[in-house]
């Protein structure tokens, strides 16, 4: 609805015309936002879990999790950087988040102490 209102206002101002090549539906925009939102949510979930474990049991975390690139992926909130531009890189990142999440769950639930 917001996109349609914006488009109507742009027409009023003469910035877009009828019958042009612009798209008037926002389905593709909403789909893209949904995909990026899911990617951000996945990364932020793993980051929040790591942060909580680091606060509660930093020694345990240091002993159980020793993946060098985790600091780069989860050192800052997901909103502090831009996601990769290409779909292939975004897919790679989503797979990394999934693997990291499963590894973290295995470390938490699989080991005593």
């Amino acid at each position: 609805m917001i996109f349609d209102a914006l488009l109507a206002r742009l027409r009023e101002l003469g910035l877009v015309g009828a019958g042009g090549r612009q798209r008037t539906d926002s389905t593709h925009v909403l789909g893209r936002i949904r995909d990026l939102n899911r990617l951000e949510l996945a990364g932020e979930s793993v980051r929040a879990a790591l942060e909580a474990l680091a606060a509660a049991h930093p020694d345990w975390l240091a002993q159980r999790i020793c993946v060098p690139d985790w600091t780069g992926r989860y050192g800052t909130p997901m909103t502090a950087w831009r996601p990769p531009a290409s779909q292939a890189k975004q897919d790679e990142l989503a797979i990394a988040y999934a693997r990291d999440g499963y590894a973290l769950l295995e470390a938490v639930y699989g080991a005593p102490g």
Side-chain angles (χ1 to χ4, degrees):
M1 290 186 339
I2 292 172
F3 185 72
D4 291 336
L6 174 63
L7 189 57
R9 182 67 180 136
L10 292 173
R11 277 192 196 123
E12 289 173 12
L13 295 172
L15 297 174
V16 294
R21 294 184 47 143
Q22 72 272 7
R23 292 183 62 144
T24 58
D25 70 283
S26 58
T27 306
H28 68 288
V29 174
L30 294 176
R32 188 74 182 117
I33 291 169
R34 181 198 65 224
D35 293 345
L36 289 174
N37 185 30
R38 287 180 180 167
L39 181 66
E40 181 182 313
L41 182 60
E44 191 60 24
S45 297
V46 177
R47 191 190 72 76
L50 285 169
E51 208 170 75
L53 282 169
H57 299 287
D59 295 334
W60 180 90
L61 186 62
Q63 292 170 358
R64 301 280 186 217
I65 305 296
C66 56
V67 180
D69 45 334
W70 280 35
T71 303
R73 268 198 295 275
Y74 306 110
T76 58
M78 301 299 123
T79 56
W81 57 275
R82 291 178 157 257
S86 76
Q87 186 63 48
K89 292 288 185 185
Q90 289 175 15
D91 291 345
E92 259 180 50
L93 189 56
I95 290 169
Y97 289 158
R99 284 186 182 145
D100 295 348
Y102 279 113
L104 186 57
L105 286 172
E106 286 176 10
V108 169
Y109 288 108

